[in-house]
Amino acid sequence: MLVWSAVAVVGAVCWSVLALSRGESVSALWILFAALSSYAIGYRFYSRFIARRVLQVDDHRATPAERLENGRDFEVTDRRVLFGHHFAAIAGAGPLVGPVLAAQMGYLPGTVWIIVGVLLAGAVQDMVVLFFSMRRNGQSLGQMIRAEIGVVGGIAALIAVFAIMILILAVLALIVVNALAESPWGVFSIALTIPIALFMGVYLRVLRPGRVLEASLIGVVLLLAAIIGGGMVDGTPLGDALTLDKTTLVLALVVYGFVASVLPVWLLLTPRDYLSTFMKIGVIVLLAVSLVIAMPVLRNDAVSSFALAGNGPVFAGSLFPFVFITIACGALSGFHALISSGTTPKMLAKESQVRVIGYGGMLMESFVAISALIAACVLDPALYFSINAPAGATGATVEGASTFVANLGFSISPAELQAAADTIEEATLVSRTGGAPTLAYGISEIFETAFGGGLQAFWYHFAIMFEALFILTAVDAGTRVGRFMLQDTVGNVWKKFGDLTWWPASWIASAVVVGAWGGILYIGVTDPLGGINQLFPLFGIANQLLAAIALTLCTVLLVKHGKLRHAWVTGVPLVWVLVVTMTASFQKVFSADPAVGYFAQRARYADALDRGEVLAPAVDASAMQQVVTNSTVNGVLQSVFALLTLVVVANGVLVVVRAVRAGGLPTTEAPAEPSRIVEPAGLFPTAEERALLAAERDRLDREKAGSSR
Amino acid sequence: MSAVIARLSRGAAAVRWYLRALTGEDRWDRHVELCAAQGRTPMTRREFERHRTDVAAAHAHERCC
């Protein structure tokens, strides 16, 4: 109890400093420790309450992994190993990019949302979905919605999941394109990851089957060599050949995405995934350590003027609802519901482990988001806005950027901007939108302060590589998941198409999926208004809408199980995310402000086009036409996502009303069977669990001795 | 001194155990153990790993944003 009181005091002090400091220099460590102490308290008390009182996990009940063990998808897995698997599956580029963009609003709104959001919404969603899927033999989110809410909701959810996934892939790819455009160093090292992964694939299949650690070690060494080698290509003919513009990179990514999705997984996807997982863990640990050593100071305001006025250059819209949209992953991410109802529930050894895997895994992702937020907030705001303002605003020149940020009230000279780009050996940093260059620059500064050695250019490209690597892994894997979904859906009507080994079907399905995200990617890359500021809000809203769908399912299930008294646990986050997403959707569709509303933007440009005028930042009539088309596409997508979600929610409300009247309804939960295995609940076994484990070992030894006699 | 070395080597062994389990490298050992317990002849490592990757290929590979 003494320990927990101490943790609470530390947390309270950190929060007070963050909330009360104004106009003085605030150390980033206050954010770090506010986060860590809040996570500790949330995990210890709230997640235990959810596990014991709300879900009533029962370790005497066998999990699907124990009942249906088949050595393939159903398999009792060590909780620490499963934690690693689950974390590697949920954590991607999302928690790195969202907080960086949200830093436009200041450090406080992002910090509060990431921490409060994860404790009360994000981690709760992951844990509860994991629990319900586990009780249903690992059914997917779509299957559970169809079975527990209804066919209409199920179909709407299926379409929403597919559409949202396409959008997410497009936005992730857009981040990579923006980070690699006109950067021969970046292109060189990222391109080399493909032959490195292929080599590892052949190594593991042919040369030394199964020696994953060996192959990964070789891979990581080659990867570092590729980053160092990249520093030498600039200025050479090879460097010139690798200086690619955005449209060329789009084409390259689309071709790559298609090939990666039809190649055997052992050749490219699996080895790349090993690399990206090791890099992910390595960088996160390195970042946490270097933050403590470097102790950087937050350079931006606690709450910036853009937060209230809603006229920020990175993305338009005011604090409410747009901070909660921009930071999705790290606080609340609907996509995790797909992972929590995927392979993880089929591998749990004990019911009580949903707490450490579901809630704990999400806390870890939230910590990544906090680190990313810090990396963006320790940058000089003038530099931050020069990097993140769209090219239409800065003219993509250092002079233009310097003037532009001066109008925002910040000061940086063209020479200083050029010097910043020179330290990381990039041609320019102006309007390198998408979040990745900002984060990489922030990380390189922190690492340089912590470790020294004049390696900032290396660290920058190391960070770019790290982000690009797992974005590309997500693009490969996402394209394959999309392909499987498409083949499965079409397979209901045309059986042959559902055969995953029939190549015409897999090629066609892959081409459709790649074409869909490639198309949106192209729209984003060529958008005269800047792609990220147009598409990222759409991405964030889509992810949160998926969370609304998942939380609807959780709430419906709590009520159906007769736990109306505790339905607020997922009901309150559901209401919150609905308010946020519906406000945001409404503004994006109906706002009269052309910077916020897609259709207002469309009307503004369409009217000007009719009058024969050209509005900045468009430069000619065809760019004007492009803005009109893009705003229409974005507005329609936005409306469709919101409507699909409302269909699921409405269907859910009907079921809740029926269930409340009846005092509960039958569900598709698998019947209980007694468990025969003993496993600890948390990462570290308690004294009580140790005694149980020892007794179990004795029993097994006796059995063995008995049977061999 | 030797206590420190013993502790370090225990730590290194734990890290190795974790990484092998995380990457699935330890599956082969388990297969061999299981076969020994049941008195069967294990597959060759090559066959086993090939079988394992082919099974994995039929499943969607989940990676989030």
Side-chain angles (χ1 to χ4, degrees):
Chain A
M1 213 53 238
L2 202 66
V3 178
W4 289 106
S5 310
V7 173
V9 169
V10 170
V13 169
C14 290
W15 277 114
S16 315
V17 171
L18 287 175
L20 301 176
S21 309
R22 287 292 179 275
E24 55 220 281
S25 64
V26 179
S27 169
L29 292 188
W30 293 111
I31 295 188
L32 204 67
F33 287 104
L36 290 176
S37 44
S38 306
Y39 295 159
I41 289 177
Y43 182 77
R44 170 65 178 74
F45 296 100
Y46 193 45
S47 77
R48 189 165 84 149
F49 164 77
I50 296 174
R52 292 195 177 174
R53 294 290 164 81
V54 183
L55 303 177
Q56 294 169 313
V57 298
D58 179 3
D59 279 343
H60 300 298
R61 192 173 171 140
T63 60
E66 184 182 351
R67 283 185 285 116
L68 308 171
E69 176 133 27
N70 61 8
R72 294 184 178 182
D73 36 2
F74 290 98
E75 190 166 33
V76 174
T77 306
D78 184 279
R79 65 209 182 280
R80 294 158 294 190
V81 174
L82 187 57
F83 183 87
H85 279 292
H86 184 76
F87 176 68
I90 61 172
L96 296 172
V97 171
V100 169
L101 302 183
Q104 133 168 303
M105 304 273 186
Y107 63 79
L108 201 52
T111 304
V112 173
W113 168 232
I114 291 174
I115 298 175
V116 176
V118 75
L119 293 176
L120 300 182
V124 177
Q125 173 207 262
D126 289 16
M127 175 177 170
V128 176
V129 170
L130 180 60
F131 173 81
F132 282 129
S133 174
M134 174 190 70
R135 281 278 175 98
R136 284 159 184 74
N137 294 343
Q139 276 190 356
S140 72
L141 185 73
Q143 287 169 324
M144 286 193 283
I145 290 175
R146 196 159 37 187
E148 304 283 1
I149 295 183
V151 179
V152 177
I155 293 174
L158 188 71
I159 301 173
V161 168
F162 186 74
I164 290 167
M165 198 158 69
I166 297 290
L167 187 75
I168 286 175
L169 292 177
V171 171
L172 288 178
L174 180 56
I175 294 167
V176 172
V177 168
N178 283 359
L180 296 186
E182 316 294 338
S183 166
W185 186 340
V187 171
F188 177 84
S189 34
I190 304 300
L192 274 183
T193 63
I194 298 170
I196 293 173
L198 292 176
F199 168 74
M200 285 172 64
V202 172
Y203 190 93
L204 287 171
R205 180 90 169 179
V206 183
L207 298 179
R208 284 180 50 78
R211 270 68 163 201
V212 184
L213 291 190
E214 255 170 57
S216 303
L217 190 66
I218 299 174
V220 169
V221 170
L222 290 175
L223 213 57
L224 293 176
I227 304 176
I228 296 169
M232 299 166 196
V233 299
D234 204 5
T236 64
L238 178 65
D240 296 340
L242 292 178
T243 308
L244 304 176
D245 63 16
K246 291 184 180 178
T247 18
T248 316
L249 282 167
V250 171
L251 196 67
L253 265 183
V254 164
V255 170
Y256 165 77
F258 177 77
V259 173
S261 129
V262 296
L263 276 183
V265 284
W266 60 263
L267 189 56
L268 186 61
L269 202 147
T270 312
R272 181 200 275 297
D273 195 42
Y274 290 133
L275 281 182
S276 106
T277 304
F278 284 127
M279 283 285 277
K280 197 182 298 183
I281 298 171
V283 173
I284 292 166
V285 172
L286 210 56
L287 185 56
V289 171
S290 62
L291 275 175
V292 175
I293 299 177
M295 295 197 285
V297 169
L298 301 168
R299 305 274 295 272
N300 58 354
D301 289 336
V303 181
S304 76
S305 62
F306 308 118
L308 306 172
N311 55 353
V314 183
F315 58 92
S318 46
L319 192 152
F320 181 85
F322 287 100
V323 159
F324 310 101
I325 293 306
T326 310
I327 303 179
C329 314
L332 169 62
S333 169
F335 232 69
H336 293 186
L338 302 183
I339 315 279
S340 292
S341 61
T343 39
T344 310
K346 299 174 183 155
M347 297 164 80
L348 287 161
K350 280 283 149 196
E351 288 207 338
S352 54
Q353 292 172 358
V354 296
R355 187 177 163 205
V356 62
I357 310 282
Y359 202 93
M362 181 62 189
L363 289 183
M364 184 99 152
E365 161 142 321
S366 179
F367 180 72
V368 175
I370 280 288
S371 309
L373 182 74
I374 292 176
C377 293
V378 300
L379 285 183
D380 174 6
L383 180 62
Y384 172 84
F385 284 107
S386 305
I387 302 176
N388 286 294
T394 61
T397 61
V398 282
E399 293 78 15
S402 177
T403 318
F404 177 76
V405 296
N407 287 334
L408 299 177
F410 303 106
S411 144
I412 190 165
S413 71
E416 285 167 321
L417 270 173
Q418 193 53 53
D422 292 341
T423 43
I424 52 156
E425 297 178 30
E426 283 284 292
T428 183
L429 271 169
V430 172
S431 295
R432 300 291 298 274
T433 57
T438 313
L439 178 67
Y441 192 85
I443 288 182
S444 74
E445 239 181 35
I446 295 170
F447 282 7
E448 179 62 27
T449 316
F451 309 122
L455 293 173
Q456 202 172 343
F458 171 80
W459 289 124
Y460 174 85
H461 289 94
F462 177 80
I464 290 285
M465 157 78 94
F466 147 79
E467 291 171 83
L469 198 62
F470 54 79
I471 290 185
L472 291 184
T473 313
V475 167
D476 294 356
T479 304
R480 264 174 65 81
V481 172
R483 181 195 124 193
F484 281 20
M485 281 174 71
L486 199 61
Q487 283 191 260
D488 185 50
T489 309
V490 176
N492 288 329
V493 201
W494 174 22
K495 206 157 178 8
K496 181 80 183 154
F497 198 82
D499 178 0
L500 295 176
T501 56
W502 190 48
W503 72 264
S506 56
W507 283 48
I508 293 172
S510 297
V512 170
V513 173
V514 171
W517 64 252
I520 300 178
L521 170 62
Y522 184 78
I523 288 180
V525 161
T526 55
D527 195 312
L529 302 180
I532 280 290
N533 58 2
Q534 299 284 305
L535 284 180
F536 203 85
L538 195 54
F539 158 79
I541 296 175
N543 200 349
Q544 303 291 55
L545 285 171
L546 201 51
I549 292 177
L551 287 166
T552 301
L553 174 73
C554 295
T555 312
V556 166
L557 278 174
L558 285 176
V559 178
K560 279 178 108 174
H561 280 291
K563 296 176 179 170
L564 181 61
R565 202 161 70 88
H566 286 132
W568 57 267
V569 169
T570 55
V572 170
L574 170 61
V575 170
W576 165 252
V577 76
L578 276 177
V579 169
V580 166
T581 51
M582 289 305 150
T583 311
S585 305
F586 189 85
Q587 291 188 4
K588 291 307 274 183
V589 174
F590 296 109
S591 170
D593 175 2
V596 176
Y598 287 123
F599 290 110
Q601 190 177 63
R602 181 191 184 282
R604 177 165 176 256
Y605 280 80
D607 292 348
L609 196 60
D610 287 345
R611 292 193 303 269
E613 293 169 21
V614 172
L615 299 178
V619 284
D620 53 20
S622 85
M624 294 287 290
Q625 185 55 50
Q626 217 173 350
V627 174
V628 172
T629 315
N630 295 359
S631 334
T632 317
V633 171
N634 295 345
V636 168
L637 281 175
Q638 176 66 76
S639 321
V640 170
F641 291 156
L643 288 175
L644 285 170
T645 307
L646 286 178
V647 169
V648 180
V649 173
N651 201 339
V653 169
L654 284 180
V655 179
V656 165
V657 170
R658 279 215 316 270
V660 170
R661 284 197 184 139
L665 283 177
T667 74
T668 57
E669 188 171 271
E673 281 179 36
S675 170
R676 266 175 271 278
I677 52 177
V678 181
E679 278 287 331
L683 285 185
F684 305 100
T686 59
E688 198 183 332
E689 285 170 339
R690 266 202 211 100
L692 278 174
L693 280 172
E696 173 69 5
R697 261 196 305 276
D698 287 350
R699 192 181 66 78
L700 285 176
D701 287 346
R702 272 201 307 280
E703 253 176 36
K704 229 183 232 166
S707 66
S708 63
R709 223 179 293 139
Chain B
M1 190 61 197
S2 65
V4 175
I5 292 173
R7 183 167 285 199
L8 278 180
S9 72
R10 257 210 312 280
V15 170
R16 183 160 177 277
W17 169 83
Y18 187 71
L19 292 178
R20 280 171 53 87
L22 195 64
T23 55
E25 192 171 324
D26 66 344
R27 296 306 183 83
W28 165 251
D29 308 340
R30 282 203 260 159
H31 172 70
V32 174
E33 267 172 39
L34 194 69
C35 287
Q38 298 174 344
R40 288 187 293 142
T41 329
M43 288 188 216
T44 66
R45 178 100 192 231
R46 191 170 296 266
E47 278 169 2
F48 177 79
E49 296 294 345
R50 197 156 286 206
H51 174 71
R52 218 165 66 79
T53 46
D54 292 345
V55 168
H59 290 277
H61 188 91
E62 292 165 332
R63 279 298 174 265
C64 187
C65 41

